[in-house]
């Protein structure tokens, strides 16, 4: 277990690099709000990695930042067990491999997927498009307690479809400290230097983990959820129109360690309510990331997955992520005065001022972190307009 825990930490760092690279690609193709789940996507790709051979395996190693399939398998054997049940949190993950009928799965591959990733492989007849879509949608709806509906359409499949990777994730939790519902009010959210939209802005004042990161030209705020291993991190540019520059600079940052140097002053937090749900077909983005070979019928090698000699390739990788931010919290007793201002991790970065404010009234990046075995990025994205 010690070795596997060490490999879970390695997956944490690998997933951080993967997240940076994929976020950069998605941000370049979408000017609006973004949300995706790095951990569920990295997990499902790591599952398929178990069946890859030769240059296809090399592409997985390079893109996932994991040296070999066994490291991925052993790391996720710890991570997936931790994510399956997190107290005080609703985290519903639907991760599965769907394979065209006629491709019997190798026992070793099936055993690894089942035991280490807590998932399975299901054979489907994609030629019956409506039935295939209904099967996948019904399973996702059951796994997410009907929070995520109609993930795929029958038009997503045809007679050439062979391998479909599905991952959907829903998150809901109370904050450790609630925002004051009575303080929420309509205020402007600035889309740029001049244009704004009205939003419901939430307020609270208490000690929060915070830092001003000068190399990013941004503030960072960490808000804990009721479960102490989970938190939301908001990275807010100093300037109203600073989101593009922030995204460029984030590509060089280890996101798994971004909260290592923080302090906890009394601070007034203003954060807009938002709800974001997004479905992403990831074929183009993963191709840009370096995984184009897995989609290539003539080049992909998944001979470690199936017994049949017929070439197999990935046809579709689809993800839907859903997250909502509102005032509700669990509100345990406040931190004793003796603990106030205590250094958390790393050095104390700033001298505490009398009145500090974190006002997220312009575009920002967010991450939802889980820290029981390393730091795993459950969600990340950006809010360009909370109204959308």
């Amino acid at each position: 277990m010690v070795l596997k825990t060490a490999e879970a930490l390695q997956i944490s760092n690998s997933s951080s690099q993967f997240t940076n690279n994929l976020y950069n690609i998605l941000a370049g193709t979408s000017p609006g709000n973004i949300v995706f789940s790095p951990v569920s996507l990295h997990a499902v790709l790591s599952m398929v990695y178990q069946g890859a051979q030769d240059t296809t395996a090399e592409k997985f190693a390079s893109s996932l930042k994991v040296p070999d399939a066994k490291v991925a398998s052993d790391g996720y054997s710890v991570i997936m067990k931790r994510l399956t049940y997190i107290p005080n949190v609703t985290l519903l993950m639907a991760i599965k491999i769907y394979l065209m009928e006629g491709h019997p799965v190798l026992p070793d591959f099936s055993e690894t997927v089942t035991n280490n990733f807590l998932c399975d492989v299901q054979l489907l007849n994609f030629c019956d498009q409506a039935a295939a879509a209904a099967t996948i949608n019904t399973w996702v709806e059951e796994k997410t307690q009907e929070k995520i509906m109609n993930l795929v359409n029958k038009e997503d499949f045809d007679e050439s479809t062979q391998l479909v990777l599905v991952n959907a994730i829903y998150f809901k939790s109370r904050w450790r400290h609630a925002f004051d519902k009575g303080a929420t009010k309509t205020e402007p959210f600035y889309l740029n230097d001049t244009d704004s939209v009205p939003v419901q802005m939430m307020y609270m004042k208490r000690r929060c983990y915070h830092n001003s990161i000068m190399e990013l030209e941004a503030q960072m705020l960490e808000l804990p959820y009721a479960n102490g291993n989970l938190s939301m991190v908001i990275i807010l540019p100093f300037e109203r129109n600073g989101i593009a520059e922030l995204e460029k600079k984030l590509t060089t940052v280890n996101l798994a360690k971004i909260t290592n140097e923080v302090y906890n002053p009394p601070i007034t937090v203003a954060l807009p309510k938002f709800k974001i749900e997004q479905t992403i077909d990831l074929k183009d983005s993963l191709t840009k990331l370096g995984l184009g070979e897995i989609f290539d019928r003539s080049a992909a090698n998944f001979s470690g997955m199936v017994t049949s000699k017929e070439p197999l390739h990935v046809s579709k990788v689809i993800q839907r992520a859903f997250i909502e931010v509102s005032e509700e919290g669990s509100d345990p007793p406040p931190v004793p005065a003796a603990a106030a201002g205590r250094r958390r991790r790393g050095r104390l970065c700033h001298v505490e001022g009398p009145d500090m404010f974190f006002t997220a009234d312009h575009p920002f990046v967010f991450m939802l972190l889980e820290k029981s075995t390393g730091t795993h990025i459950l969600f990340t994205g950006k809010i360009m307009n909370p109204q959308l």
Side-chain angles (χ1 to χ4, degrees):
M1 178 58 72
V2 173
L3 174 62
K4 290 187 178 182
T5 300
E7 290 173 346
L9 292 172
Q10 186 171 356
I11 293 296
S12 169
N13 289 324
S14 299
S15 183
S16 175
Q17 297 176 61
F18 170 82
T19 302
N20 263 342
N21 294 336
L22 184 57
Y23 180 95
N24 191 44
I25 292 168
L26 293 173
T29 58
S30 174
N33 297 339
I34 293 174
V35 63
F36 71 100
S37 172
V39 72
S40 66
L41 178 58
H42 197 269
V44 75
L45 291 172
S46 294
M47 279 198 293
V48 184
Y49 184 11
Q50 305 305 307
Q53 302 291 323
D54 300 330
T55 59
T56 304
E58 293 171 6
K59 298 297 184 183
F60 275 111
S62 175
S63 299
L64 297 179
K65 307 301 179 185
V66 179
D68 58 62
K70 189 175 187 305
V71 169
S73 176
D74 287 347
Y76 274 108
S77 72
V78 176
I79 295 165
M80 296 305 288
K81 289 181 177 68
R82 295 292 178 90
L83 296 182
T84 298
Y85 175 69
I86 305 176
N88 302 315
V89 169
T90 300
L91 180 66
L92 307 174
M93 298 176 66
I95 303 176
K96 197 167 189 175
I97 298 172
Y98 287 94
L99 183 62
M100 181 66 176
E101 290 180 348
H103 294 278
V105 181
L106 285 167
D108 286 350
F109 179 82
S110 181
E111 182 179 350
T112 298
V113 168
T114 300
N115 294 340
N116 290 29
F117 293 88
L118 308 183
C119 296
D120 63 355
V121 182
Q122 182 173 342
L123 301 182
L124 273 186
N125 178 11
F126 291 110
C127 295
D128 189 343
Q129 297 162 277
T135 297
I136 293 173
N137 285 335
T138 298
W139 180 79
V140 171
E141 289 161 14
E142 290 174 352
K143 290 290 287 185
T144 63
Q145 299 175 14
E146 299 185 344
K147 301 297 184 182
I148 295 179
M149 310 282 286
N150 302 318
L151 177 65
V152 296
N153 303 307
K154 65 178 183 179
E155 291 78 16
D156 291 325
F157 315 119
D158 57 33
E159 64 279 358
S160 68
T161 303
Q162 289 189 320
L163 185 60
V164 174
L165 313 184
V166 168
N167 60 115
I169 182 167
Y170 171 91
F171 174 84
K172 183 178 181 181
S173 176
R174 290 179 173 270
W175 300 111
R176 179 177 294 178
H177 311 297
F179 287 83
D180 180 1
K181 284 189 175 182
T184 299
K185 54 188 173 182
T186 302
E187 291 188 342
F189 183 93
Y190 294 92
L191 306 177
N192 48 51
D193 280 334
T194 55
D195 301 316
S196 67
V197 294
V199 300
Q200 289 292 291
M201 192 70 77
M202 308 182 296
Y203 278 88
M204 74 162 136
K205 183 174 182 179
R206 64 167 53 246
R207 290 186 177 273
C208 296
Y209 293 122
H210 174 269
N211 193 8
S212 291
I213 308 174
M214 296 305 173
E215 58 267 34
L216 296 181
E217 297 185 68
Q219 297 182 73
M220 188 276 293
L221 182 78
E222 185 175 13
L223 296 173
Y225 285 101
N227 182 298
N229 287 325
L230 278 90
S231 62
M232 175 169 280
V233 172
I234 309 292
I235 307 173
L236 179 71
F238 292 151
E239 304 295 331
R240 287 178 179 172
N241 61 352
I243 189 72
E245 285 301 313
L246 172 62
E247 289 175 329
K248 291 178 186 177
K249 293 172 180 176
L250 279 174
T251 59
T252 62
V253 172
N254 186 337
L255 298 176
K257 296 182 178 180
I258 199 167
T259 62
N260 279 12
E261 293 187 351
V262 291
Y263 71 127
N264 61 334
I267 187 166
T268 297
V269 177
L271 182 67
K273 296 176 68 169
F274 65 87
K275 179 169 64 176
I276 179 170
E277 181 176 10
Q278 192 166 31
T279 302
I280 307 176
D281 185 332
L282 288 152
K283 180 177 180 179
D284 289 344
S285 296
L286 292 176
T287 297
K288 293 177 182 176
L289 193 69
L291 278 172
E293 183 169 313
I294 71 173
F295 302 103
D296 188 333
R297 180 186 296 270
S298 62
N301 184 344
F302 289 107
S303 56
M305 183 185 300
V306 295
T307 60
S308 62
K309 301 301 182 183
E310 181 184 347
L312 184 69
H313 69 284
V314 176
S315 303
K316 198 173 192 68
V317 181
I318 189 166
Q319 181 185 93
R320 184 178 297 176
F322 179 97
I323 188 169
E324 182 174 3
V325 171
S326 59
E327 296 96 343
E328 287 80 8
S330 58
D331 278 325
V335 178
R342 183 177 297 165
R343 194 178 306 184
R344 190 183 181 201
R345 295 176 294 273
R347 59 187 174 83
L348 193 63
C349 302
H350 295 283
V351 176
E352 188 175 306
D355 294 294
M356 295 194 66
F357 297 88
F358 185 94
T359 304
D361 64 353
H362 54 277
F364 57 83
V365 171
F366 69 89
M367 296 185 295
L368 200 156
L369 307 180
E370 195 278 335
K371 300 182 181 180
S372 62
T373 51
T375 299
H376 306 289
I377 306 170
L378 300 186
F379 292 86
T380 190
K382 65 177 173 181
I383 296 298
M384 298 294 291
N385 184 346
Q387 281 192 339
L388 300 179

